């Protein structure tokens, strides 16, 4: 019997060709993976006092957070490029496995050293989940829809900022702190199964010259300096030989990094970027913002639980004004920038408000009321939110197209390193001042059996069991030690305020929009290519540009007198070959009369012929549609400003042509406009 020829493997679906069910299952699994990684950046904060009480080592509390941040930051560039080279699905599955293994080990940790090590492993996987989940969106959906779906991923970061502290406190109160990590296992397993069975994306095999040495060196620089700032003066005396030795090693790695990056084919952070004034200033401001934001987020739950005696869950509730203020001001500033095109006032105001917020936080004590604390938390959150988005936006507006992707990742990388430093430095200040204050407060005071400065340092929960007179002294030491770190941070934020005045407010390119929450809320650096960033911006603009006034401009530019709806219908026929007006009206829930009027105009001008219920473009109609498509392409190109010069990269022309073809006449581009929507926004200024 002759051997039957083997069937060729089915090709992976192309973007836009996924069945809706498979698409949403795949997106759901990606969102689950992203949710877990983002959640673990915030869920631990409210559980930390309980964790260090059980495992010991309040002086190492900061490292439970810092280890995760350092690992996820250092691994992010590698995950992105390895995914391009070997396939994002495979790498995403590996990231899930690493993350879940780290989570399981964290839940089994028996001492603070083990927990810190396992958090580092968990952070390596978490960094991969974040960068790959957002990159895979580009493999699943066409460019014109990317902005809409990436908005979902941005919403996840906003949600985890709110839910993280609440869930962390809830698990501590109702189950056990170890469930902060165990909860990842069932959710991650579901994501892993769905990804394995449903997600089918092509392995494009895009070759990269991966800058392994540069990645290793910059991670070493950050690690050396974070270790010095966190262990110096606590575990190691400042006079110890280890402090200058490790600091010297960090500086040596920094010098080596700068030398390597000058010769690297695809550098992690090109030194030439620092010649761009706006990039250097924004990176410095982003560093300070990350420094203060995550330092405050890490130590406020300890203040609330130890000094005010609230439960872990309620400490998460108390933090809501800060988180909601951050999200509110970040969203509002983005909308105002989109409408006005002016952005410099927001970081200037934001850093000033954040400085005031830090001063207010330093005034808190054991007698501060809930309403007063909520107001102070809100002020700080509002200030930070005004800064986050604008740093990314200003950098994208200042650099050449070729550097768009790496500049975006550079400024978010600075914020990530700042977050790691902030938690570590705040931890050092807190530990040093707490030990000193406890020693002074308890000197000459008779202590109950088993109570000492050392036990109070290692078990914050033991404070509540002290006699009332003694408890007041200890709570005062804890309160003053925590609030002092906020006072130390205020001058640093004031320096950032001074730097914001030095920013030059260039006119915004039409394609530069306030970034989504995925680029501003998490501490992880964003990893997207210049092409990805451009597609993200133009896809959002293109959808808005499909409204009535944009179609009028397209018609005028093409030299035709057609209704906006007629232009849309003709472009749709060019895209699909034919159109059924009434069916379109029914499916898109748009006025049938408008569609009939557009179809009648096309027939009357002999641009389309009736074929039963369908309309088919005539030869003249196809020629007019081609002119409209070219006009649409010119409109998109105009949004790029000086990027669209004579020496523009070929891929930029390809992006504009691709988006123009997809946006012209797509379902998302009905020119009727949303109710109450006017002809404002970047598209109209482009």
């Amino acid at each position: 019997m002759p051997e039957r020829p083997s069937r060729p493997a089915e090709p992976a679906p192309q973007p836009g060709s996924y069945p809706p069910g498979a698409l949403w299952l795949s997106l759901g699994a990606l969102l689950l993976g992203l949710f877990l990684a983002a959640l673990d950046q915030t869920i631990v904060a409210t559980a930390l006092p309980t964790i260090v009480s059980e495992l010991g080592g309040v002086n190492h509390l900061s490292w439970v957070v810092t280890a995760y941040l350092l690992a996820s930051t250092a691994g992010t560039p590698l995950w992105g490029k390895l995914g391009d080279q070997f396939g994002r699905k495979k790498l995403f599955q590996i990231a899930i496995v690493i993350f879940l293994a780290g989570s399981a080990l964290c839940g089994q940790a028996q001492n603070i050293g083990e927990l810190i090590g396992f958090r580092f492993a968990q952070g390596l996987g978490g960094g991969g989940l974040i960068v790959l989940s957002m990159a895979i969106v580009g493999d699943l959906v066409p460019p014109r829809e990317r902005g809409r779906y990436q908005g979902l991923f941005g919403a996840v970061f906003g949600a985890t900022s709110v839910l993280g502290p609440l869930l962390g406190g809830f698990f501590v109160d109702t189950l056990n702190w170890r469930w902060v990590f165990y909860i990842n296992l069932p959710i991650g397993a579901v994501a892993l199964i769905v990804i394995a069975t449903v997600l089918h994306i092509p392995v494009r095999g895009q070759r990269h010259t991966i800058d392994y040495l540069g990645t290793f060196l910059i991670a070493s620089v950050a690690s050396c300096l974070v270790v010095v700032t966190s262990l110096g003066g606590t575990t190691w005396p400042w006079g110890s030989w280890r402090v200058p030795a490790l600091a010297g090693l960090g500086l040596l790695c920094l010098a080596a990094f700068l030398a390597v990056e000058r010769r690297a084919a695809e550098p992690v952070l090109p030194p030439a970027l620092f010649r761009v004034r706006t990039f250097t200033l924004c990176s410095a401001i982003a560093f300070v913002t990350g420094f203060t934001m995550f330092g405050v987020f890490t130590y406020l739950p300890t203040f609330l639980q130890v000094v005010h005696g609230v439960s872990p869950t309620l400490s998460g509730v108390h933090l809501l004004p800060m988180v909601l203020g951050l999200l509110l001001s970040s969203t509002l500033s983005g909308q105002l920038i989109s409408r006005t095109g002016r952005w410099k006032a927001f970081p200037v105001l934001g850093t000033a408000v954040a400085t005031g917020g830090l001063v207010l936080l330093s005034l808190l004590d054991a007698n501060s009321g809930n309403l007063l604390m909520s107001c102070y938390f809100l002020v700080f959150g509002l200030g930070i939110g005004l800064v986050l988005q604008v740093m990314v936006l200003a950098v994208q507006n200042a650099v050449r197209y070729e550097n768009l992707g790496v500049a975006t990742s550079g400024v978010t990388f600075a914020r990530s390193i700042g977050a790691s430093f902030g938690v570590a430095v705040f931890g050092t200040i807190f530990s040093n001042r707490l030990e000193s204050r406890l020693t002074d407060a308890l000197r000459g005071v008779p202590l109950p059996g088993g109570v000492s400065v050392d036990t109070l340092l290692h078990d914050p929960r033991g404070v509540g069991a002290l006699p009332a007179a003694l408890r007041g002294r200890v709570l005062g030491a804890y309160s003053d030690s925590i609030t002092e770190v906020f006072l130390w941070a205020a001058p640093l934020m004031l320096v950032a305020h001074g730097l914001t005045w030095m920013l030059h407010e260039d006119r915004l390119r039409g394609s530069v929009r306030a970034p989504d929450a995925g680029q501003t809320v998490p501490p992880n650096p964003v990893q997207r290519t210049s092409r990805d960033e451009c597609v993200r911006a133009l896809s959002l603009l293109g959808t808005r540009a499909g409204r009535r006034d944009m179609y009028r401009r397209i018609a005028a530019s093409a030299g035709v007198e057609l209704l906006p709806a007629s232009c849309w219908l003709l472009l749709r026929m060019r895209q699909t070959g034919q159109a059924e007006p009434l069916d379109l009206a029914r499916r898109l829930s748009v006025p049938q009369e408008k569609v009939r009027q557009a179809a009648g105009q096309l027939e009357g001008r002999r641009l389309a012929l009736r074929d039963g219920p369908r309309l088919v473009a005539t030869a003249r109609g196809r020629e007019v549609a081609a002119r409209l498509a070219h006009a649409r392409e010119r409109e998109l190109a105009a949004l790029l400003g000086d990027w669209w010069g004579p020496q523009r990269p070929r891929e930029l022309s390809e992006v504009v042509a691709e988006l123009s073809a997809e946006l012209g006449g797509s379902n998302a581009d009905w020119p009727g406009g949303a109710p109450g929507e006017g002809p404002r926004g970047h598209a109209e200024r482009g």
Side-chain angles (χ1 to χ4, degrees):
M1 187 172 180
E3 185 177 346
R4 297 176 61 184
S6 60
R7 295 178 58 187
E10 291 187 14
Q14 295 301 307
S17 64
Y18 267 79
L23 173 63
W24 281 107
L25 271 176
S26 298
L27 286 173
L30 294 175
L31 288 168
L32 278 178
L34 180 70
F35 177 81
L36 292 177
L39 191 68
D40 268 76
Q41 296 169 346
T42 56
I43 195 173
V44 172
T46 46
L48 278 176
T50 303
I51 292 173
V52 297
S53 290
E54 182 170 322
L55 299 183
V58 74
N59 55 326
H60 297 310
L61 175 150
S62 64
W63 269 99
V64 179
V65 177
T66 302
Y68 187 94
L69 294 178
L70 271 179
S72 59
T73 297
T76 295
L78 292 180
W79 283 114
K81 291 189 176 181
L82 290 173
D84 289 343
Q85 194 158 313
F86 300 109
R88 295 192 183 102
K89 175 180 176 178
K90 183 188 302 183
L91 266 293
F92 190 74
Q93 291 171 303
I94 292 172
I96 292 178
V97 171
I98 294 174
F99 180 81
L100 294 183
S103 299
L105 291 170
C106 285
Q108 290 293 312
Q110 299 303 307
N111 57 63
I112 198 72
E114 288 183 4
L115 180 61
I116 290 169
F118 298 149
R119 279 284 283 172
F120 188 88
Q122 191 189 31
L124 285 176
L129 291 180
I130 290 175
V131 68
L132 291 171
S133 61
M134 292 192 286
I136 290 173
V137 175
D139 295 318
L140 296 178
V141 298
R144 71 173 183 269
E145 298 179 8
R146 244 165 249 178
R148 178 160 60 101
Y149 287 105
Q150 284 173 343
L152 293 175
F153 287 76
V156 168
F157 286 109
T160 55
S161 299
V162 175
L163 289 175
L166 294 176
L167 287 176
F170 173 78
F171 286 131
V172 170
D173 283 339
T174 59
L175 296 169
N176 183 287
W177 68 261
R178 298 179 187 274
W179 276 94
V180 167
F181 304 107
Y182 288 151
I183 191 61
N184 296 330
L185 301 180
I187 300 176
V190 170
L192 192 61
I193 292 169
V194 174
I195 290 294
T197 56
V198 177
L199 182 64
H200 302 288
I201 54 177
V203 180
R204 306 189 187 280
Q206 182 180 348
R207 300 297 301 177
H208 285 286
T209 305
I210 300 176
D211 187 12
Y212 292 108
L213 183 56
T215 302
F216 170 77
L217 287 171
I218 192 61
S220 299
V221 171
S223 299
C224 287
L225 298 184
V226 167
V227 169
V228 167
T229 53
S230 61
L231 300 186
T234 54
T235 304
W236 300 337
W238 286 117
S240 168
W241 64 269
R242 298 180 181 86
V243 173
L246 201 57
L249 178 61
L251 293 176
L252 186 64
C253 289
L254 178 60
F257 172 75
L258 295 175
V260 166
E261 294 302 276
R262 289 190 182 96
R263 297 191 300 270
E266 297 184 31
V268 175
L269 192 60
L273 274 179
F274 288 96
R275 299 193 196 109
V276 180
R277 174 190 174 92
T278 300
F279 176 81
T280 303
L281 290 172
C282 287
S283 295
I285 297 166
F287 178 91
V288 174
T289 304
F291 187 107
T292 56
M293 180 172 71
F294 274 85
V296 169
F297 277 14
T298 300
Y299 282 92
L300 271 183
T302 303
F303 175 83
L304 292 167
Q305 292 179 40
V306 176
V307 178
H308 280 262
V310 303
S311 68
T313 302
L314 281 179
S315 70
V317 174
H318 278 75
L319 291 177
L320 284 181
M322 181 182 299
V323 176
L324 294 177
L326 186 155
L327 295 176
L328 174 65
S329 60
S330 181
T331 302
L332 183 60
S333 63
Q335 292 177 348
L336 290 174
I337 290 168
S338 296
R339 292 186 179 187
T340 65
R342 307 302 296 270
W343 54 268
K344 182 176 176 178
F346 296 101
V348 171
L349 177 63
T351 48
V353 172
T355 301
L358 287 167
V359 173
L360 292 175
L361 291 176
S362 72
L363 300 176
L364 295 175
D365 57 30
N367 299 315
S368 300
N370 290 336
L371 180 59
L372 183 68
M373 289 194 295
S374 296
C375 290
Y376 290 179
F377 296 167
L378 178 65
V379 169
F380 180 72
L382 288 171
I384 291 292
L386 290 173
V387 183
L388 288 177
Q389 285 195 331
V390 184
M391 294 304 98
V392 176
L393 179 145
V395 163
Q396 291 184 338
N397 193 55
V399 300
R400 292 161 56 91
Y401 168 78
E402 292 84 351
N403 293 325
L404 176 59
V406 72
T408 302
S409 64
V411 74
T412 53
F413 183 83
R415 189 182 69 239
S416 305
I417 295 297
S420 301
F421 269 84
V423 176
V425 171
F426 276 26
T428 300
I429 296 172
F430 168 64
S431 299
N432 283 335
R433 301 309 297 151
L434 179 61
E435 184 173 7
S436 174
R437 283 193 168 95
L438 283 176
T439 301
D440 291 342
L442 301 179
R443 184 177 288 117
V445 177
L447 300 176
V451 176
S452 66
V453 171
D454 190 58
T455 60
L456 293 173
L457 282 172
H458 283 77
D459 185 5
R461 291 184 303 181
V463 176
L466 295 174
L470 190 59
R471 185 167 64 248
R473 290 171 174 258
V474 174
L475 288 180
Y478 262 94
S479 175
D480 292 344
S481 300
I482 294 175
T483 56
E484 185 174 335
V485 301
F486 306 145
L487 188 60
W488 277 95
L492 189 61
M493 184 58 78
L494 193 60
V495 171
H497 175 68
L499 293 176
T500 61
W501 285 101
M502 299 168 65
L503 290 168
H504 182 65
E505 189 174 32
D506 300 312
R507 182 178 181 273
L508 282 181
R509 296 183 179 100
S511 59
V512 175
R513 293 177 53 80
D516 54 50
Q519 290 179 293
T520 54
V521 174
N524 300 77
V526 174
Q527 286 293 318
R528 292 190 188 125
T529 65
S530 294
R531 188 185 193 281
D532 293 335
E533 285 292 345
C534 191
V535 165
R536 184 194 69 83
L538 287 182
S539 64
L540 289 170
L541 287 166
T543 302
R544 289 196 175 191
R547 302 299 193 243
R548 182 186 300 109
D549 290 331
M550 176 59 78
Y551 274 94
R552 284 175 178 157
R553 286 204 301 276
I554 290 172
S557 178
V560 296
E561 294 183 5
L562 290 174
L563 295 169
S566 300
C567 295
W568 172 80
L569 195 55
L570 192 58
L571 282 168
R572 181 162 185 84
M573 282 187 275
R574 183 177 188 267
Q575 183 183 33
T576 62
Q578 55 85 29
E580 294 187 33
L582 294 182
D583 179 62
L584 285 173
R586 186 167 51 253
R587 285 193 292 111
L588 301 182
S589 300
V590 297
Q592 290 190 13
E593 183 56 37
K594 290 279 188 183
V595 178
R596 283 199 190 97
Q597 187 179 6
Q601 186 181 51
L602 294 179
E603 287 184 84
R605 300 282 181 89
R606 298 189 181 279
L607 300 177
L609 294 175
R610 179 73 61 174
D611 180 14
R614 298 182 303 166
L615 275 183
V616 180
T618 62
R620 183 164 176 268
R622 289 192 294 272
E623 185 268 332
V624 170
R627 283 155 53 192
L628 288 171
H630 288 312
R632 180 59 179 259
E633 189 171 324
R634 289 195 298 271
E635 288 286 341
L636 285 174
L639 297 171
L640 299 174
D642 58 340
W643 290 344
W644 193 260
Q647 305 301 319
R648 62 181 176 270
R650 179 181 175 184
E651 75 168 17
L652 194 55
S653 300
E654 293 171 351
V655 167
V656 170
E658 181 181 2
L659 281 170
S660 178
E662 290 191 354
L663 290 167
S666 71
N667 285 13
D669 268 345
W670 166 250
E677 189 171 57
R680 294 180 296 180
H682 279 304
E684 285 71 23
R685 290 196 303 274

